[in-house]
Amino acid sequence: MPPRWDIIELLFFAYRDFVGDPDDVLDQFGFGRAHHRVVHFVHRYPGLKVADLLDVLRITKQSLGRVLKQLLDEGYIVQKSGAADRRQRLLFATAKGEALVAQLAGLQTDRISRALRDFKPDEVDAVGRFLSGMIDRDDPDKVLQAILGADSGMTRE
Amino acid sequence: MPPRWDIIELLFFAYRDFVGDPDDVLDQFGFGRAHHRVVHFVHRYPGLKVADLLDVLRITKQSLGRVLKQLLDEGYIVQKSGAADRRQRLLFATAKGEALVAQLAGLQTDRISRALRDFKPDEVDAVGRFLSGMIDRDDPDKVLQAILGADSGMTRE
DNA sequence: AATTTATGTCAGTCATATTGACATATCTTG
DNA sequence: CAAGATATGTCAATATGACTGACATAAATT
């Protein structure tokens, strides 16, 4: 099987520019890419546990610690003790956090919409199936399962 | 325009796993992701100049310096003075470098092929057009132009 | 009561990036 | 030819985001 140089390199450049938009905004907040990832997933999956976040981001708790603390201190995220298990710290985005996520997602959505402009529904669907297919399936990751599970029919509104 | 949470998150996970495969191999060589990027583009675009590489990778020459030196010292890359302009250091992958790139590209190609299995030709085409469309066009980058130029069926202004 | 689990923290290290300043060789231009 | 621009390299200091290992605490489970 010959290497798919085309896709390999397109993925590199596409991802480079895809994360480049948020990076510029994050700089103004004194944040980095790590902060974006954390506040994004907390906003999207309210009540996420610290352990879930570690699974999703594939980093250690020590790495997550500093970034999470900053987001808590500056009021982008709050944490509540779990009702069933009070050891757990369930994470939620504040209005401030939601606003930041929305701003960054807006930039990325603009880019995606531009790329998908004039795509037929089944072409959009193919893009979604490709990206899903690129992801490891043997992954005991709750968030990931939620995404992949909800992923039938990319053309829904 | 509502955020495309689906694509945003699929891209995150797809890229995470896409670069995850090479990372494991690179560890065994004492290399990191930066070494992969450098040797990859040097192999793919023989005679690449240092300045070209800086444009592609969007890093500073100081950052590139250490990584490039290691690859030169360990014989994955060689450099020759430019014929026309002898200030330029033109970079070429050695057989050793090519072998490494091929191994890493093999892993990534396996993943891509798996994702594109059972895709019809026009669906594969849609994936390529999507990725191309995600890339900034106002980019005076020789390598990028080569890639985008070779990508038939693309909509450009 | 003992153990496991979820989380936090301290301390040190590493890889990769940054900015700024300066050096050298070489090409281009007035 | 002299002056300046360009391509590259290097030194120094710094930041971010990752790592390992060890230890602490609180709460759940056995």
Side-chain angles (χ1 to χ4, degrees), chain A:
Chain A
M1 192 144 44
R4 295 296 308 245
W5 301 119
D6 52 348
I7 305 277
I8 289 173
E9 291 176 5
L10 286 172
L11 259 172
F12 170 78
F13 288 110
Y15 197 78
R16 182 192 68 175
D17 292 344
F18 173 69
V19 297
D21 292 334
D23 281 351
D24 298 336
V25 175
L26 288 159
D27 265 356
Q28 299 163 12
F29 288 80
F31 288 156
R33 213 169 281 177
H35 300 83
H36 183 193
R37 294 197 287 255
V38 170
V39 74
H40 171 94
F41 282 108
V42 169
H43 167 249
R44 283 275 294 157
Y45 303 92
L48 206 63
K49 292 182 297 176
V50 170
D52 294 333
L53 213 37
L54 295 177
D55 282 348
V56 170
L57 302 182
R58 295 264 172 89
I59 58 175
T60 59
K61 59 183 174 180
Q62 294 86 342
S63 292
L64 178 59
R66 188 173 45 94
V67 169
L68 189 54
K69 189 172 189 309
Q70 271 182 275
L71 291 169
L72 287 164
D73 287 349
E74 300 185 28
Y76 291 87
I77 285 177
V78 290
Q79 54 186 14
K80 301 174 186 168
S81 292
D85 186 335
R86 284 188 310 189
R87 290 172 307 180
Q88 298 175 346
R89 304 298 193 74
L90 310 184
L91 304 170
F92 299 86
T94 62
K96 196 174 170 187
E98 284 186 33
L100 176 58
V101 171
Q103 184 185 356
L104 300 175
L107 293 174
Q108 297 187 316
T109 297
D110 289 346
R111 182 178 293 273
I112 292 167
S113 298
R114 236 181 297 131
L116 291 179
R117 190 185 47 196
D118 306 328
F119 270 48
K120 288 174 293 198
D122 60 305
E123 290 176 324
V124 176
D125 193 67
V127 168
R129 280 185 291 115
F130 166 70
L131 292 175
S132 298
M134 289 289 286
I135 302 171
D136 286 334
R137 276 319 134 75
D138 57 338
D139 198 323
D141 183 322
K142 286 167 58 178
V143 170
L144 196 46
Q145 295 310 321
I147 294 167
L148 294 176
D151 192 33
S152 55
M154 297 292 299
T155 53
R156 78 195 181 284
E157 310 304 304

Side-chain angles (χ1 to χ4, degrees), chain B:
Chain B
M1 191 144 45
R4 296 298 307 242
W5 301 118
D6 52 349
I7 305 277
I8 289 172
E9 291 177 6
L10 286 172
L11 260 172
F12 170 77
F13 288 110
Y15 197 78
R16 182 191 67 173
D17 292 344
F18 174 68
V19 296
D21 291 334
D23 281 352
D24 299 336
V25 175
L26 288 160
D27 264 357
Q28 299 164 11
F29 288 81
F31 288 157
R33 215 169 278 178
H35 300 83
H36 183 194
R37 294 196 288 255
V38 170
V39 75
H40 171 95
F41 283 108
V42 168
H43 167 249
R44 283 274 294 156
Y45 303 92
L48 206 63
K49 292 181 298 178
V50 170
D52 295 332
L53 213 38
L54 294 178
D55 282 347
V56 170
L57 302 182
R58 296 265 172 90
I59 57 176
T60 58
K61 61 182 174 181
Q62 294 85 342
S63 291
L64 178 59
R66 186 178 44 93
V67 169
L68 189 53
K69 189 171 188 311
Q70 270 181 277
L71 291 169
L72 287 164
D73 288 349
E74 300 185 28
Y76 292 85
I77 285 176
V78 291
Q79 54 187 12
K80 300 174 187 168
S81 293
D85 185 337
R86 284 188 311 187
R87 289 171 307 179
Q88 298 175 346
R89 303 296 199 68
L90 309 184
L91 303 170
F92 300 86
T94 62
K96 196 175 171 187
E98 284 187 33
L100 177 56
V101 170
Q103 184 184 356
L104 300 175
L107 293 174
Q108 298 188 314
T109 297
D110 289 346
R111 183 178 292 274
I112 292 166
S113 299
R114 237 181 298 129
L116 291 178
R117 189 184 48 197
D118 305 329
F119 270 47
K120 289 173 293 197
D122 59 306
E123 291 177 323
V124 176
D125 192 66
V127 169
R129 280 185 291 116
F130 165 71
L131 293 175
S132 299
M134 290 288 288
I135 302 171
D136 285 334
R137 279 317 134 73
D138 56 338
D139 197 323
D141 183 321
K142 285 168 57 177
V143 169
L144 197 45
Q145 296 309 322
I147 293 168
L148 295 176
D151 193 17
S152 62
M154 255 196 13
T155 36
R156 48 177 90 75
E157 351 273 287

